[in-house]
Amino acid sequence: MGHFLHLVFVFAMFTATIKGSLFNFRYKKYMKTVYKNKSNNPFGQMIELEEKYVSQPLDHFDPLVKGSLKQRYIVINDYWKKPDGPVFLFIGGEGLLSGYYLRYGLINEIAKTHGALIVGAEHRYYGDSLNGDSMELSNLKYLSSQQALGDLAKLHQVISEDYGGGSNTTWICFGGSYAGDLSSWFRIKYPHLVHAAVASSAPVRAITNFEGYNNVVRASLSDTSIGGSQKCTGNISSGFEEVGQLLKNKSLDRLQKDFKLCSPLKSKNDYATFLSNLEDNISGAVQYNDDGTDNSVEYICKTIAEAEGSPYDKLVHLNQVFLGSLDEKCLESSYEQMLQELNKTLAQELVGIRPWTYQTCTQFGFFQTCDVNTQCPFSTYLGLGLYLDICNDVFGITADEINARVNFTNQYYGSDTPKGTRILFVNGSIDPWHSLSVLKNISDSETALYIQGSSHCADMEATSADDKPQLAQGKLEIKKQVSNWLSSSGQQRLTFK
């Protein structure tokens, strides 16, 4: 989200989907800067935000639990046609809720057109929506997608009361990555509250061993339309093979020197930690493919091509480039250090790492592996064992328990064949998360929009003259669908061309 446990899935950039493995040094650096950067105003206008809090019960389903927490939410009423204009609910995911998409994303464009009230909901246990003791293991049991949906239902009531929305008010929800899951699930589980849902890059099928992620990474790295090539993929794959051979031969001092590792490699989980952080530079660029930046397939492949030497040398050079761009002196490689980070329970130290890891261990899996039977361009040292150890070492959750909870999630929500109405699933062909989403129409009212050449949640950005034709058409289709939904609810219908 929003890559995930590789994360993360990271955090819905609207909450801000985060690229990188959950223990990746880039993740920590990214979280320190993303909201500052995303707060910049790209359109020369200032849209006022109202930041508020609502008291939520710790447990929506057990009245014997008396605790509560304050959920942060944001309101924009610049365009609202009171009192019966529609309400657009922007759902936050696994991170701080940023005002960027509310102000300058596609949802803002559509809201302005239809006179909608915009409400952004931060996810419990992320950002400012948590208590001082929320991250203690005894309190993490109140962190789940089901509790998050309960929060949205309570917020719906509060907004209706505070802003005077009556029975004629139509609600449509929006979300991307994990928050895209929540958008579709809110419509499915609370259809009386929300009329329709847009779910962007939503991996609605939970899976423990997510082999498909890196299969798509390989295909995208080879895609010439976005600056990739078979030669680029071959160099990366061969480079990782050489690293794997050095690990096998115990040439650990050389690897530590060449890749500027922060600590010696002592265990197989250290190997996997090192390799995960190394490949994250590449897979993160694939996931977001931000054209014209160092976070793109074109940049990765150009850097690889221009580097001298063997594929191994090219990989060493790529790592040095990214370390320099992030002002980092070394690459994290210690499994024990990663566990120390995950075991921190002070809110200001977390930035979403501990709670999201807990959610992957207890509901979703999403563990991105590089098994021998896949097309993964990286190293087979990146196996499922690393993630199973994380869940057990940090939370005491066993492999059997993970599998059982992942299966329950799919049974509870419907996996990638959910039964709902008025839901639009939007995905991009480059995004590795699309393999867990809905890619074809399930019914006339539960539809899919698959955008060739598009990346993770790219459709949530405002329309731009720089949009490729397929993405521009995709955003237009989203606008048309929202207009049709509003028409079916008795709201104004507009024609988009």
Side-chain angles (χ1 to χ4, degrees):
M1 4 195 221
H3 42 312
F4 277 139
L5 190 43
H6 235 47
L7 239 94
V8 218
F9 118 179
V10 292
F11 286 10
M13 247 184 320
F14 3 122
T15 70
T17 311
I18 293 217
K19 53 184 178 280
S21 82
L22 74 112
F23 45 87
N24 189 308
F25 74 99
R26 294 183 68 201
Y27 168 77
K28 293 179 284 184
K29 185 83 171 182
Y30 180 72
M31 287 305 295
K32 292 177 181 178
T33 60
V34 65
Y35 300 114
K36 178 180 178 181
N37 294 338
K38 284 295 183 181
S39 66
N40 293 339
N41 184 345
F43 301 111
Q45 60 179 336
M46 180 53 67
I47 300 169
E48 292 298 322
L49 303 178
E50 290 183 83
E51 185 177 72
K52 299 185 176 185
Y53 292 83
V54 57
S55 179
Q56 295 282 4
L58 270 183
D59 193 328
H60 288 280
F61 311 107
D62 185 353
L64 298 181
V65 176
K66 302 302 182 184
S68 64
L69 60 82
K70 288 187 176 181
Q71 179 188 23
R72 174 174 166 264
Y73 66 99
I74 294 173
V75 177
I76 296 177
N77 62 7
D78 291 38
Y79 319 124
W80 190 35
K81 295 179 181 178
K82 302 178 182 179
D84 294 326
V87 177
F88 289 173
L89 175 62
F90 184 88
I91 301 172
E94 66 285 22
L96 176 74
L97 177 67
S98 167
Y100 175 80
Y101 284 92
L102 303 178
R103 279 176 163 153
Y104 311 120
L106 189 68
I107 186 175
N108 190 282
E109 290 184 25
I110 304 174
K112 187 175 183 180
T113 299
H114 292 285
L117 180 72
I118 303 175
V119 178
E122 190 167 76
H123 196 295
R124 63 165 51 202
Y125 284 53
Y126 296 98
D128 293 328
S129 299
L130 72 170
N131 296 329
D133 61 352
S134 291
M135 294 304 142
E136 298 290 344
L137 187 57
S138 59
N139 288 324
L140 283 174
K141 62 185 177 183
Y142 303 115
L143 171 61
S144 69
S145 58
Q146 288 88 349
Q147 296 288 359
L149 295 180
D151 291 340
L152 296 178
K154 172 70 178 294
L155 182 59
H156 182 287
Q157 176 186 346
V158 170
I159 294 296
S160 298
E161 292 173 353
D162 289 354
Y163 288 85
S167 58
N168 293 327
T169 301
T170 300
W171 285 62
I172 296 178
C173 54
F174 299 76
S177 200
Y178 165 51
D181 294 345
L182 294 174
S183 183
S184 67
W185 296 339
F186 193 44
R187 169 61 189 156
I188 291 169
K189 296 299 184 180
Y190 295 83
H192 56 293
L193 298 183
V194 61
H195 182 69
V198 179
S200 298
S201 300
V204 290
R205 176 164 63 93
I207 187 171
T208 303
N209 188 358
F210 187 12
E211 296 176 328
Y213 186 97
N214 285 316
N215 289 341
V216 179
V217 167
R218 185 184 191 95
S220 296
L221 286 169
S222 303
D223 189 340
T224 57
S225 70
I226 57 173
S229 68
Q230 290 286 350
K231 185 175 182 180
C232 175
T233 306
N235 275 321
I236 291 170
S237 183
S238 296
F240 273 92
E241 286 180 8
E242 292 185 54
V243 171
Q245 191 61 46
L246 290 173
L247 287 171
K248 183 178 180 180
N249 295 337
K250 303 297 182 181
S251 300
L252 306 183
D253 290 341
R254 179 184 174 185
L255 288 169
Q256 183 177 358
K257 178 182 177 181
D258 289 350
F259 289 97
K260 300 183 183 299
L261 302 186
C262 299
S263 56
L265 297 169
K266 299 178 180 180
S267 67
K268 286 194 174 181
N269 277 343
D270 284 348
Y271 299 176
T273 301
F274 153 52
L275 289 165
S276 180
N277 285 332
L278 180 63
E279 66 85 9
D280 179 66
N281 293 327
I282 301 167
S283 56
V286 170
Q287 179 170 313
Y288 291 103
N289 195 43
D290 192 1
D291 291 338
T293 73
D294 64 358
N295 200 37
S296 66
V297 170
E298 182 177 27
Y299 180 86
I300 293 290
C301 289
K302 182 179 179 181
T303 302
I304 289 284
E306 293 177 350
E308 297 180 354
S310 68
Y312 175 86
D313 296 326
K314 291 175 181 290
L315 196 59
V316 169
H317 174 72
L318 182 66
N319 180 62
Q320 291 173 341
V321 168
F322 276 101
L323 285 174
S325 69
L326 292 166
D327 195 27
E328 294 286 345
K329 295 181 179 180
C330 59
L331 184 69
E332 295 287 355
S333 56
S334 170
Y335 177 73
E336 291 301 321
Q337 179 62 37
M338 183 267 295
L339 291 183
Q340 290 180 28
E341 292 293 319
L342 287 171
N343 278 311
K344 291 180 178 179
T345 57
L346 294 178
Q348 62 267 30
E349 296 178 321
L350 295 167
V351 204
I353 300 176
R354 181 173 168 87
W356 178 247
T357 307
Y358 177 80
Q359 286 196 264
T360 59
C361 293
T362 57
Q363 287 202 284
F364 308 123
F366 295 144
F367 305 138
Q368 296 148 32
T369 59
C370 200
D371 294 337
V372 293
N373 60 323
T374 68
Q375 296 298 309
C376 176
F378 306 124
S379 171
T380 54
Y381 278 96
L382 293 169
L384 185 60
L386 171 67
Y387 304 106
L388 300 182
D389 285 347
I390 291 171
C391 294
N392 192 48
D393 290 344
V394 179
F395 305 113
I397 299 171
T398 67
D400 287 343
E401 290 170 331
I402 295 169
N403 288 325
R405 295 178 188 197
V406 165
N407 289 337
F408 173 78
T409 296
N410 287 328
Q411 291 175 336
Y412 186 80
Y413 291 118
S415 188
D416 53 2
T417 55
K419 302 303 179 185
T421 59
R422 292 192 292 274
I423 304 173
L424 174 63
F425 294 93
V426 186
N427 286 280
S429 64
I430 299 173
D431 178 20
W433 290 100
H434 79 244
S435 60
L436 297 182
S437 191
V438 176
L439 305 182
K440 296 181 179 180
N441 293 352
I442 296 176
S443 68
D444 291 342
S445 65
E446 195 174 19
T447 57
L449 176 60
Y450 189 67
I451 305 175
Q452 288 292 336
S454 184
S455 55
H456 194 67
C457 298
D459 59 284
M460 299 184 72
E461 294 279 358
T463 55
S464 167
D466 296 328
D467 287 342
K468 293 180 180 179
Q470 301 96 319
L471 180 57
Q473 182 61 36
K475 291 178 180 179
L476 182 60
E477 291 301 320
I478 295 170
K479 292 180 178 180
K480 288 180 178 178
Q481 183 61 83
V482 172
S483 179
N484 289 338
W485 284 333
L486 291 174
S487 176
S488 70
S489 70
Q491 298 281 348
Q492 180 184 12
R493 178 176 180 176
L494 301 176
T495 300
F496 293 91
K497 297 181 180 180

